[in-house]
Amino acid sequence: MNLGVALALYGLRTLVIDLDPQGNASTALGVDHTVGTPSIYDALVGDSTLTEVVHPTTASPHLLCVPATIDLAGAEIELVSVVAREHRLRRAIEGYIAALPPEKRPHYVLIDCPPSLGLLTLNALVAGDEVLIPIQCEYYALEGLGQLLNNIDLVRQHLNPGISVRTILLTMYDGRTKLADQVADEVRNHFGDVVLDAVIPRNVRVSEAPGYGQSVLTYDPGSRGSTSYVEAARELAHRGLDLPPVDRSGTPAAATAFAVADAPAAGTQDGQ
Ligand SMILES: Nc1ncnc2c1ncn2[C@@H]1O[C@H](COP(=O)(O)OP(=O)(O)OP(=O)(O)O)[C@@H](O)[C@H]1O
Ligand SMILES: [Mg+2]
């Protein structure tokens, strides 16, 4: 969500889809997500189009958000009996983009995944062109990673041949600990160029911001948390420049949809 705000502040039209029943991304973007608010649940399980559930944000006119209400917790089960259950989100996004004139289409669609690997995350991995994994510079983050990568492989084989991990963002980096450096080194050795140069430090402003319904970029623009997210978004946007298909007027023919997946923590079913 901080990346979404940073991309929007660059002038890139960005849509954040909150796919986590906890609704943390909605909270941080100041978007109402009390029960009854038109939300991603209505598009996934109900008959709403994405257009009907998109909300503006206070962070930037370029940033729109589809919030998640607690109803979404039931969607894991309700989706089981729905036709084309793994493809609901992809179709909703495709329909949304197709209905917009080119100059209004988002440059980026960011889908915030729940921490478990159920039907909601599967929908995100089928809808996405790329996976972005924020990895906390802590030991447990690496243990959950293998499981997540296996699942992405399975989705590639069976449901979405185009999906791959294109971006890894190191977060919660604490320069005072050896462990943080070890984790960062290990991730860089293993994943190479996929890892962004920018690293998000452990910064109290990042954790305070959601309490004010804000991203860290609007809450404290000068903080290290904020400047490092701006740096990460700049790298992401520069990578996007190389991605086909981009028409010459500078408007991408299609948006790049990222599934932002949490690596579940080791030893638990749902990563909590
Ligand atoms: N760089 C940071 N510095 C300090 N605190 C942070 C930082 N990044 C995240 N946090 C804290 O950790 C909390 C969880 O962060 P975040 O929502 O990114 O985790 P998550 O892995 O997506 O959680 P979940 O698995 O529940 O979806 C934030 O609300 C914030 O308090
Ligand atoms: Mg999350």
Side-chain angles (χ1 to χ4, degrees):
M1 150 273 298
N2 286 315
L3 278 177
V5 173
L7 288 168
L9 293 178
Y10 272 119
L12 294 160
R13 289 184 298 279
T14 304
L15 172 66
V16 170
I17 300 178
D18 193 351
L19 207 59
D20 187 338
Q22 295 177 96
N24 294 157
S26 315
T27 304
L29 295 177
V31 177
D32 183 24
H33 62 104
T34 50
V35 173
T37 307
S39 72
I40 191 64
Y41 175 85
D42 303 299
L44 280 180
V45 181
D47 295 328
S48 299
T49 63
L50 220 48
T51 315
E52 292 167 329
V53 297
V54 163
H55 296 246
T57 66
T58 48
S60 158
H62 296 300
L63 187 70
L64 300 176
C65 173
V66 179
T69 62
I70 195 67
D71 297 321
L72 196 59
E76 288 280 3
I77 304 214
E78 287 172 76
L79 277 173
V80 171
S81 57
V82 167
V83 178
R85 59 192 181 191
E86 297 97 350
H87 301 269
R88 300 285 295 181
L89 184 59
R90 178 165 201 111
R91 291 186 185 162
I93 294 173
E94 284 171 353
Y96 171 76
I97 290 174
L100 287 170
E103 70 278 8
K104 294 215 165 140
R105 289 182 188 158
H107 295 94
Y108 291 96
V109 178
L110 306 180
I111 308 163
D112 186 27
C113 294
S116 58
L117 292 163
L119 266 176
L120 289 172
T121 298
L122 207 51
N123 262 274
L125 293 175
V126 170
D129 302 312
E130 313 187 0
V131 184
L132 185 158
I133 310 179
I135 298 184
Q136 297 191 0
C137 294
E138 286 169 11
Y139 178 72
Y140 283 132
L142 290 183
E143 285 219 330
L145 195 58
Q147 197 186 337
L148 176 63
L149 295 175
N150 285 341
N151 279 279
I152 293 167
D153 273 342
L154 285 173
V155 171
R156 187 173 38 243
Q157 285 167 39
H158 299 288
L159 290 164
N160 182 4
I163 192 83
S164 64
V165 178
R166 295 271 199 94
T167 312
I168 288 179
L169 176 62
L170 294 165
T171 65
M172 297 279 268
Y173 176 81
D174 185 346
R176 295 165 306 180
T177 67
K178 251 193 205 157
L179 179 63
D181 278 323
Q182 282 169 1
V183 171
D185 287 349
E186 199 166 321
V187 171
R188 287 193 191 283
N189 286 337
H190 194 272
F191 291 98
D193 287 347
V194 167
V195 188
L196 295 182
D197 290 334
V199 170
I200 312 300
R202 188 184 286 271
N203 179 258
V204 70
R205 299 312 226 181
V206 176
S207 44
E208 285 171 2
Y212 297 86
Q214 291 193 44
S215 71
V216 71
L217 286 94
T218 45
Y219 174 64
D220 188 352
S223 63
R224 285 182 61 228
S226 170
T227 55
S228 51
Y229 271 110
V230 169
E231 224 14 80
R234 193 202 306 270
E235 273 186 68
L236 203 60
H238 276 287
R239 290 177 174 201
L241 292 180
D242 303 330
L243 288 174
V246 177
D247 76 28
R248 292 301 140 212
S249 66
T251 307
T256 302
F258 286 92
V260 183
D262 298 327
T268 60
Q269 272 298 306
D270 64 2
Q272 292 298 292

